[in-house]
């Protein structure tokens, strides 16, 4: 044992639940409906374009803020989708994934002692990232089972130290989506304050039931104080690419880039070159919502044969199911037992809270081939 001591920067944090459950799935040969990633192939056209980019010599560092034609294609896309006028030179940075964009945004804006409002259940990187920046996460619970925002509760938690509010729509882990009324509430809360917004929109296209995606990019009054983060992994079925981007007004992006240049500095070149061309294919992203909605519905119809009860999901890769009435176990214990004894891995929603909660719900990823969903439900009917 070394005598050298290290004081942990994250003393209360273990290994992320996604790795815990995926490792358990491998160990027990379980079907993995836990960690969110598709098991169907991505576009062959896009992989061929990456191959061509490599053959064409796009293998060296690209501009630190990202390949300009890709930034231009993103600017065009967000104008088309959200009517946003974004300057690709000063307001878009390509990043090695959405997580990195979030980390950099928090690192950019937070000073020790600042507070950040985070809704729980919260995607698991937000709070550690806030804490690593020396700030404090102030949590507000989404109202179970619809996981709606209680805006009165948000108002109660705001202090003179509040520096930012984190929003995530469509929401991981619950599939809840923000409504136009939520945007009205948020706008009223931040008006005439120094509060910034971090908007995690990695599931922008994975939205169902005809609902519009209430992007912050649609609202200039909010965008002037926001970092909006995206991930190509979720759009093109390639979560392992770890490529995303951040959009923010120039005065914020300037500071973001100061940090980015000394961390990753830049992002994968050939994939950026390929995406710059592929973004022109609007159908590839416009069809995504219907494609994933069909998977949600297919899985839900199969799950009716089990004793698990669906909670509403209007977006993302995920839907929660309740096991109330089947077991009193904690969500973690039940998820572990389901993996070991029934061969299906899920994610306990309690893992996305800082305090102990037990709503008897597990998150299932339905972004899978029908054969995978069939095989999983064949196991779950035995519950
Ligand atoms: N935010 C949310 C809500 C996510 O689900 C994910 C997916 N992992 C990310 C951010 C990060 O995406 P990336 O893999 O591009 O870092
Ligand atoms: N976003 C994915 C999920 O929620 C996983 C990402 C990760 O493993 N960090 O399952």
């Amino acid at each position: 044992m070394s005598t050298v001591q290290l004081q942990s920067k994250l003393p209360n944090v273990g290994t992320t639940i996604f790795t815990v459950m995926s490792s358990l799935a491998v160990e027990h040969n379980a079907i993995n409906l836990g960690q969110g990633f598709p098991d169907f192939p991505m576009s062959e056209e896009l992989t061929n374009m990456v191959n061509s980019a490599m053959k064409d010599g796009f293998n060296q560092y690209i501009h630190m803020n990202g390949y300009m034609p890709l930034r231009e294609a993103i600017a065009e896309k967000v104008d088309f989708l959200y009517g946003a006028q974004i300057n690709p030179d000063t307001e878009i940075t390509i990043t090695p994934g959405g997580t990195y964009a979030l980390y950099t945004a928090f690192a950019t804006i937070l000073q020790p002692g600042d507070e950040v409002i985070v809704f729980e259940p919260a995607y698991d990187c937000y709070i550690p990232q806030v804490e690593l920046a020396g700030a404090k996460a102030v949590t507000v619970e989404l109202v179970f089972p619809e996981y709606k925002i209680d805006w009165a509760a948000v108002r109660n938690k705001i202090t003179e130290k509040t520096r930012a509010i984190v929003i995530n729509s469509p929401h991981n882990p619950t599939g809840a989506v923000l409504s136009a009324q939520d945007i009205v509430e948020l706008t009223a809360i931040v008006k005439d304050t120094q509060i910034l917004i971090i908007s995690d929109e990695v599931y922008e296209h994975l939205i169902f039931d005809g609902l519009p995606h209430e992007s912050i990019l649609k609202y200039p009054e909010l965008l002037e104080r926001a970092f909006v983060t995206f991930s190509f992994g979720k759009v093109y079925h390639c979560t392992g690419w770890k490529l995303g981007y951040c959009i923010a007004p120039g005065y914020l992006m300037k500071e973001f880039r100061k940090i980015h240049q000394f961390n990753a500095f830049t992002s994968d070149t050939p994939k950026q070159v390929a995406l710059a061309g592929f973004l022109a294919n609007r159908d590839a992203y416009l069809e995504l919502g219907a494609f994933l909605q069909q998977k949600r519905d297919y899985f839900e119809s199969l799950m009716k044969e089990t004793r698990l009860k669906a909670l509403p999901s209007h977006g993302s890769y995920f839907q929660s199911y309740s096991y109330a009435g089947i077991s009193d176990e904690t969500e973690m214990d039940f998820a572990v037992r389901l993996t070991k004894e029934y061969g299906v891995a899920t994610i306990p929603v309690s893992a996305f809270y800082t305090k102990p909660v037990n709503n008897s719900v597990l998150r299932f990823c339905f972004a899978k081939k029908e054969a995978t969903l069939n095989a999983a439900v064949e196991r779950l009917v035995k519950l």
Side-chain angles (χ1 to χ4, degrees):
M1 239 313 251
S2 172
T3 52
V4 181
Q5 306 269 313
L6 176 71
Q7 195 185 346
S8 175
K9 300 288 292 259
L10 292 170
N12 303 318
V13 163
T15 301
T16 167
I17 190 68
F18 305 121
T19 298
V20 169
M21 293 312 294
S22 282
S23 302
L24 202 67
V26 171
E27 193 186 325
H28 295 276
N29 205 15
I31 297 168
N32 191 353
L33 303 188
Q35 191 177 25
F37 59 87
D39 71 345
F40 40 82
M42 65 172 298
S43 156
E44 201 181 324
E45 188 189 344
L46 181 51
T47 52
N48 287 340
M49 287 167 83
V50 178
N51 204 7
S52 301
M54 290 200 249
K55 285 184 180 153
D56 292 345
F58 287 99
N59 298 304
Q60 310 307 330
Y61 297 129
I62 208 83
H63 190 282
M64 60 169 264
N65 299 331
Y67 184 50
M68 190 44 117
L70 176 58
R71 286 189 270 152
E72 284 165 354
I74 292 168
E76 211 173 287
K77 175 180 173 180
V78 299
D79 185 9
F80 164 65
L81 287 176
Y82 307 120
Q85 308 300 307
I86 304 296
N87 182 332
D89 184 26
T90 55
E91 299 178 319
I92 302 175
T93 301
I94 311 297
T95 61
T99 312
Y100 174 99
L102 289 161
Y103 183 94
T104 310
F106 288 125
T108 302
I109 62 170
L110 296 176
Q111 301 288 344
D114 282 351
E115 293 179 357
V116 179
I117 304 275
V118 179
F119 297 101
E120 286 190 326
Y123 183 59
D124 76 339
C125 73
Y126 304 152
I127 294 175
Q129 291 185 350
V130 166
E131 291 176 351
L132 282 169
K136 184 178 160 211
V138 174
T139 59
V140 176
E141 234 177 277
L142 296 171
V143 184
F144 181 80
E146 271 91 19
Y147 296 103
K148 293 245 174 280
I149 295 178
D150 175 349
W151 289 103
V154 177
R155 285 176 194 281
N156 282 338
K157 295 273 176 98
I158 289 189
T159 72
E160 70 284 356
K161 292 186 187 148
T162 307
R163 186 75 256 241
I165 300 178
V166 184
I167 55 170
N168 169 216
S169 182
H171 184 248
N172 183 0
T174 68
V177 304
L178 291 183
S179 67
Q181 185 54 33
D182 288 316
I183 299 293
V184 170
E185 300 274 4
L186 178 63
T187 309
I189 284 179
V190 298
K191 197 175 165 55
D192 301 325
T193 71
Q194 291 298 310
I195 300 173
L196 300 171
I197 295 163
I198 309 282
S199 183
D200 178 352
E201 302 189 13
V202 299
Y203 298 107
E204 67 178 320
H205 301 300
L206 311 188
I207 185 157
F208 317 138
D209 308 316
L211 293 168
H213 171 51
E214 292 296 350
S215 176
I216 291 303
L217 300 178
K218 280 167 60 176
Y219 299 96
E221 219 181 316
L222 294 178
L223 182 55
E224 70 171 24
R225 55 173 79 232
F227 290 87
V228 191
T229 59
F230 299 89
S231 171
F232 289 114
K234 301 296 185 310
V235 182
Y236 296 116
H237 312 314
C238 52
T239 60
W241 277 23
K242 295 301 297 186
L243 201 61
Y245 55 99
C246 181
I247 297 181
Y251 75 100
L252 296 177
M253 189 53 87
K254 187 167 159 244
E255 294 300 316
F256 179 102
R257 288 172 173 177
K258 285 187 191 171
I259 295 178
H260 166 62
Q261 69 185 338
F262 296 128
N263 194 1
F265 170 65
T266 186
S267 307
D268 184 292
T269 299
K271 288 174 192 144
Q272 290 193 58
V273 173
L275 285 164
F278 201 69
L279 249 66
N281 178 357
R282 288 180 176 169
D283 288 343
Y285 56 80
L286 292 176
E287 287 166 359
L288 262 180
F291 175 69
L292 264 303
Q293 175 171 333
Q294 191 266 333
K295 293 214 171 281
R296 177 202 63 180
D297 294 347
Y298 182 74
F299 185 56
E300 199 175 333
S301 70
L302 296 177
M303 287 290 272
K304 290 209 164 74
E305 302 300 316
T306 73
R307 293 163 70 206
L308 296 157
K309 298 277 174 283
L311 268 62
S313 161
H314 299 292
S316 81
Y317 282 158
F318 311 112
Q319 183 155 23
S320 293
Y321 282 80
S322 167
Y323 61 88
I326 301 177
S327 165
D328 293 331
E329 285 159 284
T330 65
E331 293 176 12
M332 190 65 201
D333 287 350
F334 190 70
V336 168
R337 195 160 68 80
L338 204 59
T339 311
K340 289 185 179 172
E341 294 179 13
Y342 293 84
V344 180
T346 60
I347 301 287
V349 176
S350 57
F352 302 97
Y353 290 85
T354 40
K355 59 172 168 263
V357 288
N358 188 3
N359 290 317
S360 307
V361 283
L362 301 177
R363 188 195 81 172
F364 288 77
C365 174
F366 52 74
K368 303 289 176 190
K369 293 185 280 214
E370 288 194 353
T372 308
L373 299 174
N374 293 340
V377 175
E378 262 171 43
R379 296 175 180 198
L380 294 170
V381 287
K382 297 185 188 132
L383 254 178

